[in-house]
Amino acid sequence: MVIFGTRPEAIKLFPVVKALEDDPRFTPVVCVSAQHREMLDQVLDIAGIAPDHDLDIMRPNQSLDELTARLLVGLGTVMNEVSPARVIVQGDTATAMCGALAAYYRKIPVDHVEAGLRSGNIHHPFPEEINRKIIGTMANLHFAPTETAAAALKAENVDPARVHVTGNTVIDAPHWVTGRIAEQPSLASGLADIEERFAGKRIIGVTSHRRENFGEGMEGIAEAIRRIAARDDVAVIFPVHLNPNVREVMNERLAGADNIALIEPLDYPNFARLLSLAEIMLTDSGGVQEEAPALGKPVLVMRETTERPEGVTAGTAKLVGTNAEIIVTEISTLLDDKASYEAMARAHNPFGDGEAARRIVELLGHEFRSQA
Ligand code: UD1
Ligand code: UDP
């Protein structure tokens, strides 16, 4: 049983679902919590995945405790009905943590995709750092995206024989979507009007949604965007996350400003288009920190710490926090100093080679054989 509920989990697990579907040894059962609704459905549509179970959990502005309680009961109920041989979860969301816990309660082995990411700070990212650690204590197979992630698990005394470096499926997903866009180019033409409006301008792509940035952090981010977009040569394209804690601040501070397009969340092909148009990405997202380096796009990360240090080590990512002054200075340096830009704008792919899902399925096959 493959369990997911939010946009990034769907993006990072659809390649695994497809690889399982293509392998006659497996019968994948897809259970979505729908912790996200519209943003999950955007991915299910493009990937052509029809879930076997859909818990439709999302409520407006849901609290973590309500969400956790409903997820645990809902996912446990589906597990009772399906009795899966194994459960696969990805990353660090409430859905992933509750999926692992419900499986553990039933003594069903849990396989963790994107295991071993650690920032070392339980409040950044919040609550994801703890969610990952909880899952790591219960997981049977740990699919670490990088050697760094594998080393973090081993340092926590996880049995090294259960840890496998597979790469991150975030690199598999665009390979597949690029093929779909080649067949049907209109899939990625959703930004055409904005591209025309901002023709000749230097595009900065923005995403933001982290809970630890709510309040003061979001205010700082909005102020930085307002100041940067005051330049004539720049335009900001910002698909705004559906979380009301993000939308209220951004709408209040930025709606209607020249050189800023506040738009609805983009589906995955059109977000890929934004990544290709952008000269710089400004984000607090986990996934975007992995995708931008793969394309050689400098990514300024609006966080104090990161559990994905590989992009920073490679030089394509830089931590800038949420202070408006600092963000504006960092963006201006990249815009105005060619050498600084070129030092960051080199394609690096520390996160994978596009073969992670295939490796994960091979390892699962091996696991079933060794149990037979
Ligand atoms: C969640 C994850 C976070 C992940 C992020 C990816 C947890 C605790 N948080 O954060 O780790 O990085 O997803 O985007 O698991 N909403 C909608 N429609 C949607 C999605 C969200 O309206 O399709 C609104 C709802 O009001 C919802 C709110 O956003 O209550 C918050 O959603 P939630 O899943 O609790 O948290 P995210 O901030 O999205
Ligand atoms: N993404 C998307 N549309 C958008 C913004 C992001 O499809 O408008 C994709 C992006 O390509 C990446 C993922 O969503 O793969 C990141 O999700 P998010 O930032 O919501 O969560 P995180 O990665 O921080 O958990």
Side-chain angles (χ1 to χ4, degrees):
M1 177 183 278
V2 185
I3 295 177
F4 51 95
T6 65
R7 168 173 68 191
E9 292 166 274
I11 289 170
K12 290 171 170 179
L13 278 177
F14 86 71
V16 176
V17 172
K18 287 190 178 297
L20 287 168
E21 281 172 349
D22 289 346
D23 190 320
R25 295 173 295 178
F26 299 104
T27 310
V29 174
V30 173
C31 175
V32 297
S33 68
Q35 176 180 334
H36 285 175
R37 185 70 276 171
E38 302 89 326
M39 287 160 55
L40 171 73
D41 292 344
Q42 282 183 319
V43 187
L44 294 174
D45 283 352
I46 183 71
I49 289 179
D52 300 287
H53 300 269
D54 186 331
L55 297 174
D56 203 19
I57 289 272
M58 197 195 83
R59 299 288 177 276
N61 214 2
Q62 58 211 348
S63 71
L64 286 178
D65 41 14
E66 280 176 293
L67 172 63
T68 303
R70 283 205 309 279
L71 283 168
L72 194 57
V73 174
L75 293 169
T77 304
V78 178
M79 282 178 210
N80 289 345
E81 195 183 310
V82 176
S83 293
R86 303 183 76 83
V87 159
I88 298 178
V89 297
Q90 192 281 339
D92 53 21
T93 66
T95 294
M97 189 270 283
C98 292
L101 189 56
Y104 167 74
Y105 284 162
R106 289 162 181 76
K107 300 193 167 56
I108 301 169
V110 176
D111 303 316
H112 189 200
V113 175
E114 198 183 75
L117 275 60
R118 298 287 185 271
S119 72
N121 181 336
I122 62 167
H123 302 293
H124 294 265
F126 171 86
E128 290 82 3
E129 178 80 356
I130 282 293
N131 284 346
R132 285 192 205 108
K133 289 182 115 165
I134 294 172
I135 300 167
T137 59
M138 295 181 283
N140 183 269
L141 284 173
H142 306 253
F143 300 123
T146 65
E147 292 293 347
T148 308
L153 289 165
K154 291 172 195 167
E156 291 173 9
N157 293 326
V158 173
D159 177 359
R162 310 305 295 169
V163 178
H164 300 278
V165 178
T166 58
N168 196 315
T169 52
V170 75
I171 308 296
D172 302 27
H175 285 205
W176 186 85
V177 168
T178 304
R180 287 284 289 115
I181 296 170
E183 287 163 17
Q184 200 182 329
S186 62
L187 285 176
S189 63
L191 289 171
D193 289 351
I194 292 173
E195 287 179 44
E196 202 179 309
R197 173 178 160 203
F198 292 153
K201 301 221 184 243
R202 303 169 73 179
I203 304 294
I204 299 177
V206 182
T207 77
S208 179
H209 70 83
R210 298 243 70 84
R211 278 175 194 257
E212 64 273 21
N213 285 344
F214 290 170
E216 204 182 317
M218 286 292 154
E219 297 284 343
I221 293 168
E223 177 58 18
I225 293 169
R226 198 188 57 74
R227 288 197 219 165
I228 282 293
R231 284 175 61 134
D232 278 345
D233 60 338
V234 161
V236 172
I237 303 179
F238 185 173
V240 184
H241 196 283
L242 292 179
N243 194 318
N245 296 287
V246 183
R247 293 177 86 80
E248 279 163 21
V249 177
M250 298 308 162
N251 284 335
E252 191 180 309
R253 302 288 293 267
L254 302 176
D258 288 344
N259 297 341
I260 301 178
L262 287 187
I263 56 177
E264 293 303 310
L266 290 166
D267 64 18
Y268 191 56
N270 283 301
F271 192 75
R273 175 71 187 157
L274 173 57
L275 279 174
S276 74
L277 291 173
E279 199 167 315
I280 300 166
M281 288 302 297
L282 178 65
T283 190
D284 61 13
S285 158
V288 178
Q289 278 182 75
E290 295 158 339
E291 293 163 340
L295 297 168
K297 298 286 174 170
V299 55
L300 297 179
V301 181
M302 299 183 291
R303 298 190 186 182
E304 305 304 328
T305 61
T306 181
E307 64 287 5
R308 295 170 166 89
E310 295 87 347
V312 178
T313 307
T316 331
K318 188 167 185 183
L319 291 172
V320 297
T322 56
N323 175 284
E325 198 70 41
I326 295 174
I327 296 173
V328 172
T329 304
E330 293 289 348
I331 292 188
S332 306
T333 303
L334 286 177
L335 289 172
D336 298 331
D337 176 4
K338 206 159 178 264
S340 296
Y341 187 85
E342 279 170 5
M344 282 186 85
R346 277 177 288 113
H348 288 283
N349 212 342
F351 298 107
D353 60 0
E355 295 289 325
R358 185 189 56 72
R359 283 190 198 101
I360 287 167
V361 170
E362 273 319 303
L363 288 159
L364 286 170
H366 187 265
E367 189 62 22
F368 276 105
R369 269 201 310 280
S370 65
Q371 285 167 358

